[in-house]
Amino acid sequence: MNTPLRITAFAAGLAAAFGLALGVGHATGNGGPSPKPAMAGHAGHTEESGGGAAEHLPGGLQVSERGYTLSVENPFVTAGSPTDLRFRILGSDGKPVTAYQPQHEKDLHLIVAPRDLSTFQHLHPTLAADGTWSAPTAVPAAGEYRVFADFTPAGAAEGLTLGADLHAAGDLRPAPLPQTGRTVTVDGYTVTLGGDLTPGRSGGLTLSVSKDGKPVTDLQPYLGAYGHLVALRAGDLAYLHVHPDTTTPGPEIGFTTTAPSTGSYRLFLDFKHQDTVRTAAFTLTTDGTTAPAAPATTPAAPAAEHTGEAGGHQH
């Protein structure tokens, strides 16, 4: 899921499989051919039925699942300082997994988001021969973060999303959930959200992209689709997987997803145009309303942050 609602959602990594449980943050140191439709949150995940019991917990809520464990080498970082985020996926035998099935053109998608959901990073780490993944990054502010690894091991019947905590030391300034309306702007592009999230029921979301008052009809494929959506549930950062439906290059990008519960969600849409990946972020509640409107401009990340296999792109 420019992260990756498989919003992997992206997830979100931001598809009804969400994940994450964190404590309150603190800072004590501790144009090409049309791509085939693919899950923006990556294929093979079991979706929630919603409302009641589900076959699996939402994605990202657990550090271990189905015999696999996400092991972060150093979960303590300093806000604003570059760090090489290193981690491994361990199998049931305790050994690092070294073979994966590509999803959305990558063997593994890494999402990093803070507790307050104010920022979003969708990184593409590199894999060493010993099974260690690494991704150069920097978290922008102090607090508690969640790291989501979205992947499918080689030979596995379905993929999964594991989550682990990341603690960023520094001057902590807690902030409320970012507020948006149905339209946001990023780097001169206007993105409009249509559709709703309904707990326990699959539904459609559409995101329309325009620039200078004109619809953008030549979006470029990104991670195997014309848009990548990740959703995270406010409160526990459950990771929502979203299915992309669109096979044309805009201006409207469609997704199918299911919210696992009532609540507020942050949706992160990655789209590519003129060789640059940008992210539009929305706050949406499950009753079909957005949070109260606020300034709709989302600062664009420098273009350089959208390049490179290891660094991926950051928002």
Side-chain angles (χ1 to χ4, degrees), residues 1-15 17-19 39-42 45 59-60 109-113 117 119-123 146-150 161-162 223 228-233 237-242 255 257 265-270 279 313 315:
M1 349 37 271
N2 183 348
T3 20
L5 336 156
R6 243 160 235 242
I7 169 79
T8 223
F10 25 204
L14 79 180
F18 279 80
M39 288 183 65
H42 321 306
H45 294 259
H109 294 258
L110 188 70
I111 303 295
V112 180
L117 293 175
T119 62
F120 170 85
Q121 297 183 53
H122 181 174
L123 307 175
R146 192 68 170 179
V147 175
F148 301 94
D150 193 345
T161 302
L162 301 179
L223 297 177
H228 191 280
L229 188 63
V230 170
L232 298 173
R233 181 171 58 190
L237 276 69
Y239 188 94
L240 178 61
H241 295 142
V242 183
F255 300 89
T257 187
Y265 295 83
R266 284 284 282 171
L267 315 183
F268 299 95
L269 172 71
D270 296 335
T279 301
H313 45 273
H315 314 283

Side-chain angles (χ1 to χ4, degrees), residues 179-183 290-296:
Q179 309 296 292
T180 71
R182 288 273 176 167
T183 298
T290 52

